[in-house]
Coordinates of all heavy atoms in Angstrom, one line a residue:
M135 N 39.5 68.5 18.3 CA 38.4 68.0 17.5 C 37.6 66.9 18.2 O 38.2 66.0 18.8 CB 38.9 67.5 16.1 CG 37.8 67.1 15.2 SD 38.4 66.7 13.5 CE 39.0 68.3 13.0
E136 N 36.3 67.0 18.3 CA 35.5 66.1 19.0 C 35.5 64.7 18.3 O 35.4 64.7 17.0 CB 34.1 66.6 19.2 CG 33.2 65.7 20.0 CD 32.0 66.3 20.6 OE1 31.9 67.6 20.5 OE2 31.1 65.6 21.0
V137 N 35.6 63.6 19.1 CA 35.6 62.3 18.5 C 34.2 61.6 18.8 O 33.8 61.5 20.0 CB 36.7 61.4 19.1 CG1 36.6 60.0 18.6 CG2 38.1 62.0 18.8
L138 N 33.5 61.2 17.7 CA 32.3 60.5 17.9 C 32.5 59.0 17.5 O 33.0 58.7 16.4 CB 31.2 61.1 17.0 CG 30.9 62.6 17.1 CD1 30.0 63.1 16.0 CD2 30.3 62.9 18.5
K139 N 32.3 58.1 18.5 CA 32.5 56.7 18.2 C 31.2 56.1 17.7 O 30.1 56.3 18.3 CB 33.0 56.0 19.5 CG 34.3 56.5 19.9 CD 34.8 55.8 21.2 CE 36.2 56.4 21.5 NZ 36.7 55.8 22.7
V140 N 31.3 55.3 16.6 CA 30.2 54.8 15.9 C 30.3 53.2 16.0 O 31.3 52.7 15.6 CB 30.1 55.2 14.4 CG1 28.9 54.7 13.8 CG2 30.1 56.8 14.4
A141 N 29.2 52.6 16.4 CA 29.1 51.1 16.4 C 28.2 50.6 15.3 O 27.4 51.4 14.7 CB 28.6 50.7 17.8
A142 N 28.2 49.3 15.1 CA 27.4 48.8 14.1 C 25.9 48.9 14.4 O 25.1 49.0 13.5 CB 27.7 47.3 13.9
K143 N 25.6 49.1 15.7 CA 24.2 49.2 16.1 C 23.8 50.7 16.4 O 22.7 51.0 16.8 CB 24.0 48.4 17.4 CG 24.1 46.9 17.2 CD 23.8 46.1 18.4 CE 23.9 44.6 18.1 NZ 23.5 43.8 19.2
S144 N 24.7 51.6 16.1 CA 24.4 53.0 16.2 C 23.3 53.4 15.3 O 23.3 53.0 14.1 CB 25.7 53.9 16.0 OG 26.6 53.7 16.9
N145 N 22.4 54.3 15.8 CA 21.4 54.9 14.9 C 22.0 56.0 14.1 O 22.4 57.0 14.6 CB 20.3 55.4 15.8 CG 19.1 56.0 15.0 OD1 19.3 56.5 13.9 ND2 17.9 56.0 15.6
P146 N 22.0 55.9 12.7 CA 22.7 56.9 11.9 C 22.0 58.2 12.0 O 22.7 59.3 11.9 CB 22.6 56.3 10.5 CG 21.6 55.2 10.5 CD 21.5 54.7 11.9
N147 N 20.7 58.3 12.3 CA 20.1 59.6 12.5 C 20.6 60.3 13.7 O 20.8 61.5 13.7 CB 18.6 59.5 12.5 CG 18.0 59.1 11.2 OD1 18.3 59.7 10.2 ND2 17.2 58.0 11.1
S148 N 20.8 59.6 14.8 CA 21.3 60.2 16.0 C 22.7 60.6 15.8 O 23.1 61.7 16.3 CB 21.2 59.1 17.2 OG 19.9 58.8 17.4
V149 N 23.6 59.8 15.2 CA 25.0 60.2 14.9 C 25.0 61.4 14.0 O 25.8 62.3 14.3 CB 25.7 59.0 14.3 CG1 27.2 59.4 14.0 CG2 25.8 57.8 15.2
A150 N 24.1 61.5 13.0 CA 24.1 62.6 12.1 C 23.7 63.9 12.9 O 24.3 64.9 12.6 CB 23.0 62.3 11.0
G151 N 22.8 63.8 13.8 CA 22.4 65.0 14.6 C 23.6 65.5 15.4 O 23.9 66.7 15.4
A152 N 24.3 64.6 16.1 CA 25.5 65.0 16.9 C 26.6 65.5 16.0 O 27.2 66.5 16.3 CB 26.0 63.7 17.6
L153 N 26.7 64.9 14.8 CA 27.8 65.4 13.9 C 27.4 66.8 13.3 O 28.3 67.7 13.3 CB 27.9 64.4 12.7 CG 28.9 64.7 11.6 CD1 30.3 64.8 12.2 CD2 28.8 63.6 10.5
A154 N 26.2 67.0 13.0 CA 25.8 68.3 12.4 C 26.0 69.4 13.5 O 26.5 70.5 13.2 CB 24.3 68.2 12.0
N155 N 25.6 69.1 14.7 CA 25.8 70.1 15.8 C 27.2 70.4 16.0 O 27.6 71.6 16.2 CB 25.1 69.6 17.1 CG 23.6 69.7 17.0 OD1 23.0 70.5 16.3 ND2 22.9 68.8 17.8
T156 N 28.1 69.4 16.0 CA 29.5 69.6 16.3 C 30.1 70.4 15.1 O 30.9 71.3 15.4 CB 30.2 68.2 16.4 OG1 29.6 67.5 17.5 CG2 31.7 68.4 16.7
I157 N 29.7 70.1 13.9 CA 30.2 70.9 12.8 C 29.8 72.3 12.8 O 30.6 73.2 12.6 CB 29.8 70.2 11.4 CG1 30.5 68.9 11.2 CG2 30.0 71.1 10.3 CD1 30.0 68.0 10.1
R158 N 28.5 72.6 13.2 CA 28.1 74.0 13.3 C 28.9 74.7 14.4 O 29.2 75.9 14.3 CB 26.6 74.0 13.7 CG 25.7 73.7 12.5 CD 24.2 73.9 12.9 NE 23.4 73.3 11.8 CZ 22.7 72.2 12.0 NH1 22.7 71.6 13.1 NH2 21.9 71.8 11.0
E159 N 29.1 74.0 15.5 CA 29.8 74.7 16.7 C 31.3 74.8 16.5 O 31.9 75.7 16.9 CB 29.5 73.9 18.0 CG 28.0 74.0 18.4 CD 27.7 73.1 19.5 OE1 28.6 72.4 20.1 OE2 26.5 73.1 19.9
Q160 N 31.9 73.7 16.0 CA 33.4 73.6 16.0 C 34.0 73.6 14.6 O 35.2 73.6 14.5 CB 33.9 72.4 16.8 CG 33.4 72.4 18.2 CD 33.8 71.1 19.0 OE1 34.7 70.4 18.5 NE2 33.2 70.9 20.1
G161 N 33.2 73.4 13.6 CA 33.7 73.3 12.2 C 34.1 72.0 11.7 O 34.5 71.8 10.6
G162 N 34.2 71.0 12.6 CA 34.6 69.6 12.2 C 34.5 68.6 13.4 O 34.3 69.0 14.5
A163 N 34.6 67.4 13.0 CA 34.5 66.3 14.0 C 35.2 65.1 13.4 O 35.5 65.0 12.2 CB 33.1 65.9 14.4
E164 N 35.5 64.1 14.3 CA 36.1 62.8 13.8 C 35.2 61.7 14.2 O 34.8 61.6 15.4 CB 37.5 62.7 14.5 CG 38.2 61.4 14.2 CD 39.5 61.3 14.9 OE1 40.3 62.3 14.9 OE2 39.8 60.2 15.4
L165 N 34.9 60.9 13.3 CA 34.1 59.7 13.6 C 35.0 58.5 13.6 O 35.9 58.4 12.7 CB 33.0 59.4 12.5 CG 31.7 60.1 12.6 CD1 31.9 61.6 12.5 CD2 30.7 59.6 11.6
Q166 N 34.9 57.6 14.6 CA 35.8 56.4 14.6 C 34.9 55.2 14.5 O 33.8 55.1 15.2 CB 36.5 56.3 16.0 CG 37.7 57.2 16.1 CD 38.4 57.0 17.3 OE1 38.1 56.3 18.2 NE2 39.6 57.7 17.4
A167 N 35.3 54.2 13.7 CA 34.5 53.0 13.4 C 35.4 51.8 13.3 O 36.5 51.9 12.7 CB 33.7 53.2 12.2
I168 N 35.0 50.7 13.9 CA 35.7 49.5 13.8 C 34.8 48.4 13.2 O 33.8 48.1 13.8 CB 36.3 49.0 15.2 CG1 37.2 50.0 15.8 CG2 36.9 47.6 15.0 CD1 37.7 49.6 17.2
G169 N 35.2 47.9 12.1 CA 34.3 46.9 11.4 C 33.5 47.5 10.3 O 33.1 48.7 10.3
A170 N 33.0 46.6 9.4 CA 32.2 47.0 8.3 C 30.9 47.6 8.7 O 30.4 48.6 8.1 CB 32.0 45.8 7.3
G171 N 30.2 47.0 9.7 CA 28.9 47.5 10.1 C 29.0 48.9 10.7 O 28.1 49.7 10.4
A172 N 30.0 49.1 11.5 CA 30.2 50.4 12.1 C 30.5 51.5 11.0 O 30.0 52.6 11.0 CB 31.2 50.4 13.1
L173 N 31.3 51.1 10.1 CA 31.7 52.0 9.0 C 30.5 52.3 8.1 O 30.3 53.5 7.7 CB 32.8 51.4 8.1 CG 33.3 52.3 7.0 CD1 33.9 53.6 7.5 CD2 34.3 51.5 6.2
N174 N 29.6 51.4 7.9 CA 28.4 51.6 7.1 C 27.5 52.6 7.8 O 27.0 53.6 7.2 CB 27.7 50.3 7.0 CG 26.4 50.4 6.2 OD1 26.4 51.0 5.1 ND2 25.3 49.9 6.7
Q175 N 27.4 52.5 9.1 CA 26.5 53.4 9.9 C 27.2 54.8 9.9 O 26.5 55.8 9.8 CB 26.3 52.9 11.3 CG 25.6 51.6 11.5 CD 24.2 51.6 10.8 OE1 24.1 51.5 9.6 NE2 23.2 51.7 11.6
A176 N 28.5 54.9 10.0 CA 29.2 56.2 10.0 C 29.0 56.9 8.7 O 28.7 58.1 8.6 CB 30.7 56.0 10.3
I177 N 29.1 56.2 7.6 CA 29.0 56.8 6.2 C 27.5 57.3 6.1 O 27.3 58.4 5.6 CB 29.3 55.8 5.1 CG1 30.8 55.5 5.2 CG2 28.9 56.3 3.7 CD1 31.7 56.7 4.8
K178 N 26.5 56.5 6.5 CA 25.1 56.9 6.4 C 24.9 58.2 7.2 O 24.2 59.1 6.8 CB 24.2 55.8 6.9 CG 24.0 54.7 5.9 CD 22.9 53.8 6.2 CE 23.2 52.7 7.2 NZ 22.2 51.7 7.4
A179 N 25.5 58.2 8.4 CA 25.4 59.4 9.3 C 26.0 60.7 8.6 O 25.4 61.7 8.7 CB 26.1 59.2 10.6
I180 N 27.1 60.5 7.9 CA 27.7 61.7 7.2 C 26.8 62.1 6.1 O 26.5 63.3 5.9 CB 29.1 61.3 6.7 CG1 30.1 61.1 7.8 CG2 29.6 62.4 5.7 CD1 31.4 60.4 7.4
I181 N 26.2 61.2 5.4 CA 25.2 61.6 4.3 C 24.0 62.3 4.9 O 23.6 63.3 4.3 CB 24.8 60.3 3.5 CG1 26.0 59.7 2.8 CG2 23.6 60.6 2.6 CD1 25.7 58.3 2.3
I182 N 23.5 61.8 6.0 CA 22.3 62.4 6.6 C 22.7 63.8 7.2 O 22.0 64.8 7.0 CB 21.7 61.5 7.7 CG1 21.2 60.2 7.1 CG2 20.7 62.2 8.5 CD1 20.9 59.1 8.1
A183 N 23.9 63.9 7.8 CA 24.3 65.2 8.4 C 24.5 66.2 7.3 O 24.2 67.4 7.5 CB 25.6 65.0 9.2
R184 N 25.0 65.8 6.1 CA 25.1 66.7 5.0 C 23.8 67.4 4.7 O 23.7 68.6 4.4 CB 25.7 66.0 3.8 CG 26.0 66.9 2.7 CD 26.8 66.2 1.6 NE 27.2 67.1 0.6 CZ 26.7 67.1 -0.7 NH1 25.8 66.2 -1.0 NH2 27.1 68.0 -1.6
G185 N 22.7 66.6 4.7 CA 21.4 67.1 4.4 C 21.0 68.1 5.5 O 20.2 69.0 5.2
Y186 N 21.4 67.9 6.7 CA 21.0 68.8 7.8 C 21.7 70.1 7.7 O 21.1 71.1 8.1 CB 21.4 68.2 9.2 CG 20.6 67.0 9.6 CD1 21.1 66.1 10.6 CD2 19.4 66.6 9.1 CE1 20.4 65.0 11.1 CE2 18.6 65.5 9.5 CZ 19.1 64.7 10.5 OH 18.4 63.6 10.9
V187 N 23.0 70.1 7.3 CA 23.7 71.4 7.3 C 23.7 72.1 6.0 O 24.0 73.3 5.9 CB 25.2 71.2 7.8 CG1 25.3 70.7 9.2 CG2 26.0 70.3 6.8
A188 N 23.3 71.4 4.9 CA 23.3 72.0 3.6 C 22.4 73.3 3.4 O 22.8 74.3 2.8 CB 22.9 71.0 2.5
P189 N 21.2 73.3 4.1 CA 20.3 74.5 3.9 C 21.0 75.7 4.5 O 20.6 76.8 4.1 CB 19.1 74.1 4.7 CG 19.0 72.6 4.7 CD 20.5 72.2 4.7
S190 N 21.9 75.6 5.4 CA 22.6 76.8 5.9 C 23.9 77.1 5.2 O 24.7 77.9 5.7 CB 22.8 76.7 7.4 OG 23.4 75.4 7.8
G191 N 24.1 76.5 4.0 CA 25.2 76.8 3.1 C 26.5 76.1 3.5 O 27.5 76.5 3.0
I192 N 26.4 75.1 4.3 CA 27.6 74.3 4.7 C 27.7 73.1 3.9 O 26.8 72.3 3.8 CB 27.6 74.0 6.2 CG1 27.5 75.2 7.1 CG2 28.8 73.1 6.6 CD1 27.3 74.9 8.6
D193 N 28.9 72.9 3.3 CA 29.2 71.7 2.5 C 30.2 70.9 3.3 O 31.1 71.5 3.9 CB 29.6 72.0 1.1 CG 29.5 70.8 0.2 OD1 28.9 69.8 0.6 OD2 30.1 70.8 -0.9
L194 N 30.2 69.6 3.3 CA 31.1 68.8 4.1 C 32.2 68.1 3.2 O 31.9 67.8 2.1 CB 30.3 67.7 4.8 CG 29.2 68.2 5.8 CD1 28.6 67.0 6.4 CD2 29.8 69.1 6.8
V195 N 33.3 67.9 3.8 CA 34.4 67.2 3.3 C 34.8 66.1 4.2 O 34.8 66.3 5.5 CB 35.7 68.1 3.1 CG1 36.9 67.3 2.6 CG2 35.4 69.2 2.1
C196 N 35.0 64.9 3.7 CA 35.3 63.7 4.6 C 36.7 63.2 4.2 O 37.0 62.9 3.0 CB 34.3 62.6 4.4 SG 34.6 61.1 5.3
I197 N 37.6 63.1 5.2 CA 38.9 62.6 5.0 C 39.1 61.3 5.7 O 39.1 61.3 7.0 CB 40.0 63.6 5.5 CG1 39.7 65.0 4.8 CG2 41.4 63.1 5.2 CD1 40.4 66.1 5.5
P198 N 39.2 60.1 5.0 CA 39.3 58.8 5.7 C 40.8 58.6 6.1 O 41.7 59.0 5.3 CB 38.8 57.8 4.7 CG 39.1 58.5 3.4 CD 39.0 60.0 3.6
A199 N 41.0 57.9 7.2 CA 42.3 57.5 7.6 C 42.2 56.3 8.6 O 41.2 56.0 9.1 CB 43.0 58.7 8.3
F200 N 43.4 55.7 8.8 CA 43.4 54.6 9.8 C 44.0 55.2 11.1 O 44.7 56.2 11.1 CB 44.4 53.5 9.3 CG 43.9 52.6 8.2 CD1 44.4 52.7 7.0 CD2 42.8 51.8 8.4 CE1 43.9 52.0 5.9 CE2 42.3 51.0 7.4 CZ 42.9 51.1 6.1
T201 N 43.6 54.6 12.2 CA 44.1 55.0 13.5 C 44.2 53.7 14.4 O 43.3 52.8 14.2 CB 43.3 56.1 14.2 OG1 44.0 56.5 15.3 CG2 41.9 55.7 14.5
D202 N 45.1 53.7 15.3 CA 45.2 52.6 16.3 C 44.6 53.1 17.6 O 44.9 54.1 18.1 CB 46.6 52.2 16.5 CG 47.2 51.5 15.2 OD1 46.5 50.8 14.5 OD2 48.4 51.8 14.9
I203 N 43.7 52.3 18.1 CA 43.1 52.6 19.4 C 43.2 51.4 20.3 O 43.4 50.3 19.9 CB 41.6 53.0 19.2 CG1 40.8 51.9 18.6 CG2 41.4 54.3 18.4 CD1 39.3 52.2 18.6
D204 N 43.1 51.7 21.6 CA 43.3 50.7 22.7 C 41.9 50.3 23.2 O 41.2 51.2 23.7 CB 44.2 51.2 23.8 CG 44.4 50.1 24.8 OD1 45.0 49.1 24.5 OD2 44.0 50.3 26.0
I205 N 41.5 49.0 23.1 CA 40.3 48.6 23.7 C 40.6 47.4 24.6 O 41.0 46.4 24.2 CB 39.3 48.1 22.6 CG1 39.0 49.2 21.6 CG2 38.0 47.5 23.2 CD1 38.1 48.8 20.5
N206 N 40.3 47.7 25.9 CA 40.6 46.7 27.0 C 42.0 46.2 26.9 O 42.2 44.9 27.0 CB 39.6 45.6 26.9 CG 38.2 46.1 27.1 OD1 37.9 47.0 27.9 ND2 37.2 45.4 26.5
G207 N 43.0 47.0 26.7 CA 44.4 46.6 26.6 C 44.8 46.0 25.3 O 45.9 45.5 25.2
E208 N 43.9 45.9 24.4 CA 44.2 45.3 23.1 C 44.2 46.4 22.0 O 43.3 47.2 21.9 CB 43.1 44.3 22.7 CG 43.4 43.5 21.4 CD 42.3 42.5 21.2 OE1 41.7 42.0 22.1 OE2 42.1 42.2 20.0
E209 N 45.2 46.5 21.2 CA 45.3 47.5 20.2 C 44.6 47.0 19.0 O 44.7 45.9 18.5 CB 46.8 47.8 19.8 CG 46.9 49.0 18.9 CD 48.4 49.4 18.8 OE1 48.9 49.9 19.8 OE2 48.9 49.3 17.7
R210 N 43.7 47.9 18.5 CA 42.8 47.6 17.3 C 43.0 48.7 16.3 O 43.3 49.9 16.6 CB 41.4 47.5 17.7 CG 41.0 46.5 18.7 CD 40.8 45.1 18.2 NE 39.9 45.0 17.1 CZ 38.6 44.7 17.2 NH1 38.0 44.6 18.3 NH2 37.9 44.6 16.1
T211 N 42.9 48.4 15.0 CA 42.9 49.4 14.0 C 41.5 49.8 13.7 O 40.6 49.0 13.4 CB 43.6 48.8 12.7 OG1 44.9 48.4 13.0 CG2 43.6 49.9 11.6
A212 N 41.3 51.1 13.7 CA 40.0 51.7 13.4 C 40.1 52.6 12.2 O 41.2 53.0 11.8 CB 39.5 52.5 14.6
I213 N 39.0 52.9 11.6 CA 38.9 53.8 10.5 C 38.4 55.1 11.2 O 37.4 55.1 11.9 CB 38.0 53.4 9.4 CG1 38.7 52.2 8.7 CG2 37.8 54.5 8.4 CD1 37.9 51.6 7.6
K214 N 39.1 56.2 10.9 CA 38.6 57.5 11.4 C 38.2 58.3 10.1 O 38.9 58.3 9.1 CB 39.6 58.2 12.2 CG 40.9 58.7 11.6 CD 41.7 59.5 12.5 CE 43.0 59.9 11.9 NZ 43.9 60.7 12.9
L215 N 37.1 58.9 10.3 CA 36.6 59.8 9.2 C 36.6 61.2 9.7 O 35.8 61.5 10.6 CB 35.2 59.3 8.8 CG 35.0 57.9 8.3 CD1 33.6 57.5 8.3 CD2 35.7 57.7 7.0
I216 N 37.4 62.0 9.2 CA 37.5 63.4 9.6 C 36.5 64.2 8.8 O 36.7 64.2 7.5 CB 38.9 64.0 9.5 CG1 39.9 63.1 10.4 CG2 39.0 65.4 9.9 CD1 41.4 63.3 10.0
V217 N 35.5 64.8 9.4 CA 34.5 65.5 8.6 C 34.6 67.0 9.0 O 34.6 67.3 10.2 CB 33.1 65.0 9.0 CG1 32.0 65.7 8.2 CG2 33.0 63.5 8.8
Q218 N 34.8 67.8 8.0 CA 35.0 69.2 8.2 C 34.1 70.0 7.2 O 33.6 69.5 6.2 CB 36.4 69.6 7.9 CG 37.4 69.0 8.8 CD 38.8 69.3 8.4 OE1 39.1 69.6 7.3 NE2 39.7 69.3 9.4
S219 N 33.8 71.2 7.6 CA 33.1 72.2 6.8 C 34.0 72.6 5.6 O 35.1 73.0 5.9 CB 32.6 73.4 7.6 OG 32.2 74.4 6.8
K220 N 33.5 72.5 4.4 CA 34.3 72.9 3.3 C 34.4 74.4 3.2 O 35.4 75.0 2.7 CB 33.6 72.4 2.0 CG 34.4 72.7 0.7 CD 33.6 72.0 -0.4 CE 34.3 72.3 -1.7 NZ 33.6 71.8 -2.9
N221 N 33.5 75.2 3.7 CA 33.4 76.6 3.6 C 34.3 77.3 4.6 O 34.5 76.9 5.7 CB 32.0 77.1 3.7 CG 31.1 76.4 2.8 OD1 31.5 75.4 2.1 ND2 29.8 76.8 2.7

């Protein structure tokens, strides 16, 4: 499953486009976000992506979870949002 990393400064429209394309091609993707700002952008991207794929009959399901990732040798807890096609 492809991992899309989302930052607080990420453009939600750009993330949504990448997410929609990945869902069409692979059926799902994982978004990773650290911090409230990044999570906000990730959620907005999922909402926008849902609008992109809905006309072709695809509905999305989002499964939130925690994950530990390594950034510059330091372990951080991130939120991962697994987004999959419901159909």
Side-chain angles (χ1 to χ4, degrees):
M135 186 172 294
E136 185 163 344
V137 176
L138 304 172
K139 296 182 180 180
V140 182
K143 294 184 179 184
S144 294
N145 180 332
N147 289 308
S148 298
V149 177
L153 179 59
N155 287 335
T156 304
I157 288 169
R158 285 188 192 107
E159 292 171 4
Q160 301 176 16
E164 178 181 314
L165 276 65
Q166 285 185 352
I168 298 176
L173 182 60
N174 181 49
Q175 298 302 77
I177 293 295
K178 284 195 275 188
I180 294 169
I181 295 166
I182 295 165
R184 184 169 184 249
Y186 290 163
V187 298
S190 46
I192 300 172
D193 198 11
L194 301 181
V195 175
C196 178
I197 304 164
F200 289 109
T201 187
D202 293 321
I203 60 173
D204 183 64
I205 299 177
N206 299 329
E208 183 180 333
E209 191 168 290
R210 303 279 307 267
T211 300
I213 292 179
K214 70 177 175 180
L215 302 168
I216 301 165
V217 182
Q218 298 175 331
S219 167
K220 183 177 176 182
N221 310 6

